[in-house]
Amino acid sequence: MGSVQLVLEALALVLGFLGWVLLGVSLPNRYWRVSTVDGSVITTSTIYENLWMSCATDSTGVHNCREFPSLLALSGYIQACRALMIASIVMGMFGLISTLVGMQCSKIGGENYVLKGRIAAVGGVFFILQSLCAMIAVSWYASNITREFYDPLYDGTKYEIGEGLYIGWSSGTLALIGGCCLLCSCKVTSKEEKVPYLHHTPRGAAFTPPAASRSQCSQYGRNAEPQRSIIIIIITIIITIITIIIIIITIITIIITIIITIIIIIIIIIINMNGDDRWRI
């Protein structure tokens, strides 16, 4: 078990956990966008919003917030950002669980380092998916803010980027680095470290016990090793099947995420062509 691998796995776990925590801080943060004071001489109130509510504060410091009353009445990009942020949290949770199970220093999952390395790789993929979902949501929201801010024909309230978006970008960056560290740690394991099982006698070669103990070999002693080998083979096959299923589920999740993103982009493009401002990006 190499020290480089341990350091990478520990670093990936810390970065992934920090990214997941920051994601949880960013999602309920009220300051995703804040009304700008650019060009205003006197500002009587400040409006700030996130994915769930709109708030206002006046010059006396009184805050008033209201949740968005209807899901279907929301802008399309806000609905998509909500879905992406929730998916990002779920991916991060799966990534943390997979990383804890797949770490070489963890006792969870036994001492099959080959399987643990694969599970750690799956955790790295989940961290990268978490980063992609968070980055897409935050960047999409920020692009709408900047588009409305620089649009001279836009007559509504103009906003600036709030602290919640910066927290989201930080979360995505940490998760991306953590996922890459996990994927890199899976490549530094040597063959000697992967399988710590007992050495088996090569096929076709006869096992010859020492002369002193040859007469003490019982029937159980002669049959114990083949039975143990069969059990190990069965357990290895079952673990391999479970690993393959996890990898397939991960691939399907990636494909579904890509398809949903493409569909949303196509719908937005079509609605933009029809002149619906609610879905503009």
Side-chain angles (χ1 to χ4, degrees):
M1 188 183 302
S3 59
V4 176
Q5 182 179 9
L6 293 178
V7 171
L8 285 176
E9 288 179 345
L11 179 62
L13 179 62
V14 172
L15 292 178
F17 179 73
L18 289 177
W20 189 63
V21 171
L22 287 179
L23 188 65
V25 173
S26 173
L27 186 58
N29 190 283
R30 296 180 179 180
Y31 295 92
W32 276 51
R33 63 177 183 177
V34 183
S35 59
T36 181
V37 295
D38 181 63
S40 301
V41 178
I42 300 177
T43 303
T44 58
S45 63
T46 301
I47 302 174
Y48 48 96
E49 297 181 352
N50 62 1
L51 297 176
W52 314 99
M53 65 182 63
S54 177
C55 300
T57 177
D58 56 19
S59 57
T60 62
V62 178
H63 297 262
N64 293 312
C65 296
R66 65 176 182 85
E67 296 182 353
F68 297 130
S70 174
L71 175 64
L72 299 179
L74 288 175
S75 300
Y77 76 93
I78 294 182
Q79 300 180 32
C81 290
R82 282 183 176 183
L84 288 171
M85 291 295 289
I86 294 175
S88 180
I89 291 179
V90 174
M91 295 296 179
M93 182 181 63
F94 288 156
L96 288 174
I97 295 175
S98 301
T99 304
L100 288 174
V101 175
M103 292 182 67
Q104 304 298 319
C105 59
S106 173
K107 299 300 182 181
I108 305 175
E111 296 182 355
N112 189 342
Y113 297 137
V114 176
L115 174 63
K116 292 172 75 71
R118 294 172 182 172
I119 296 177
V122 173
V125 173
F126 277 125
F127 280 146
I128 293 176
L129 287 177
Q130 171 195 343
S131 173
L132 291 177
C133 291
M135 287 290 195
I136 291 174
V138 174
S139 300
W140 193 351
Y141 196 93
S143 68
N144 281 270
I145 297 176
T146 55
R147 180 187 59 81
E148 293 175 354
F149 185 87
Y150 291 108
D151 187 1
L153 301 179
Y154 181 74
D155 55 354
T157 303
K158 293 187 177 183
Y159 294 89
E160 293 182 355
I161 296 175
E163 63 185 32
L165 297 183
Y166 292 107
I167 298 175
W169 277 316
S170 301
S171 167
T173 303
L174 292 176
L176 180 61
I177 297 174
C180 293
C181 288
L182 269 182
L183 293 179
C184 292
S185 68
C186 298
K187 299 179 181 179
V188 297
T189 305
S190 61
K191 295 182 179 180
E192 291 77 9
E193 294 174 334
K194 287 183 178 179
V195 185
Y197 297 123
L198 296 176
H199 176 71
H200 300 288
T201 303
R203 184 175 299 178
F207 173 73
T208 305
S213 60
R214 188 175 302 171
S215 60
Q216 300 176 2
C217 292
S218 63
Q219 185 68 25
Y220 174 78
R222 289 194 297 268
N223 296 332
E225 188 66 24
Q227 292 177 358
R228 184 182 302 175
S229 300
I230 294 174
I231 294 175
I232 291 174
I233 292 173
I234 294 175
I235 294 175
T236 304
I237 293 174
I238 294 175
I239 292 175
T240 304
I241 293 174
I242 294 175
T243 304
I244 294 173
I245 293 174
I246 293 175
I247 294 174
I248 292 175
I249 293 175
T250 304
I251 295 174
I252 292 175
T253 304
I254 295 173
I255 294 174
I256 292 175
T257 304
I258 294 174
I259 292 174
I260 292 176
T261 304
I262 293 174
I263 292 174
I264 292 175
I265 293 174
I266 293 175
I267 292 175
I268 292 173
I269 293 174
I270 294 175
I271 296 180
N272 280 337
M273 295 174 62
N274 294 331
D276 191 345
D277 291 335
R278 294 189 303 113
W279 290 76
R280 289 186 179 274
I281 60 174

